[in-house]
Amino acid sequence: MTTTTATSSATFSTAAVHRPGKIRNRVLWTLQVVLGLFFIIASGGPKLVIPNILMANPPENLTISLGLLIFIGVAEVAGGIGLMVPRLSAMAAIGLSVLTVLAAATQAFIADKPAMGIFPLVLAAIFAWIAYERRATITSLVR
């Protein structure tokens, strides 16, 4: 009987390491939905719907090719959708974290506006935290 109790508590502690608590889970889902909608509607969507207008009016004297603009838009929309799909949330957060670090580097080194890179770095940290908390979904995808 003692062995069963020890096994049960060991199983519980392993599950607690991979799954966030109830309040943390709600905070994560709120962030995931809000950021997912932001990347679908406000960030990636315009790159796919009105790319020619964006190409004609480049922000911060930064010009990129139409193909790269559309690729970034697809990556942002896919990441936004992935954040809201439970099985894909960690992988989407990893992808968006990489994307936002690259956006910060672009602002700092190519556009020569390092202060504009702060917001993407904050987003990258949030996405890294989401990926860490949702890491159990990565192992479930592998299986």
Side-chain angles (χ1 to χ4, degrees):
M1 188 97 173
T2 307
T3 307
T4 306
T5 305
T7 306
S8 297
S9 64
T11 305
F12 176 73
S13 65
T14 304
V17 171
H18 290 27
R19 297 182 65 189
K22 190 174 187 178
I23 293 173
R24 187 177 295 170
N25 192 38
R26 287 182 182 168
V27 169
L28 284 166
W29 275 115
T30 301
L31 279 172
Q32 287 172 234
V33 168
V34 169
L35 290 173
L37 289 174
F38 169 77
F39 271 88
I40 292 168
I41 297 168
S43 189
K47 291 177 180 84
L48 299 177
V49 176
I50 54 169
N52 293 327
I53 295 172
L54 295 175
M55 292 293 296
N57 301 312
E60 294 102 26
N61 298 323
L62 180 66
T63 56
I64 59 174
S65 68
L66 180 63
L68 181 59
L69 183 71
I70 291 174
F71 175 77
I72 293 168
V74 168
E76 289 176 345
V77 169
I81 293 168
L83 277 178
M84 296 184 280
V85 177
R87 288 183 165 237
L88 301 177
S89 59
M91 294 301 288
I94 290 169
L96 286 170
S97 184
V98 169
L99 185 73
T100 53
V101 166
L102 293 173
T106 300
Q107 290 292 336
F109 301 114
I110 296 175
D112 199 29
K113 302 220 183 228
M116 296 295 289
I118 294 171
F119 180 67
L121 288 178
V122 170
L123 286 176
I126 293 170
F127 290 133
W129 178 63
I130 291 170
Y132 176 76
E133 292 293 337
R134 301 292 188 203
R135 65 193 179 277
T137 63
I138 296 172
T139 57
S140 69
L141 280 175
V142 172
R143 283 186 241 141

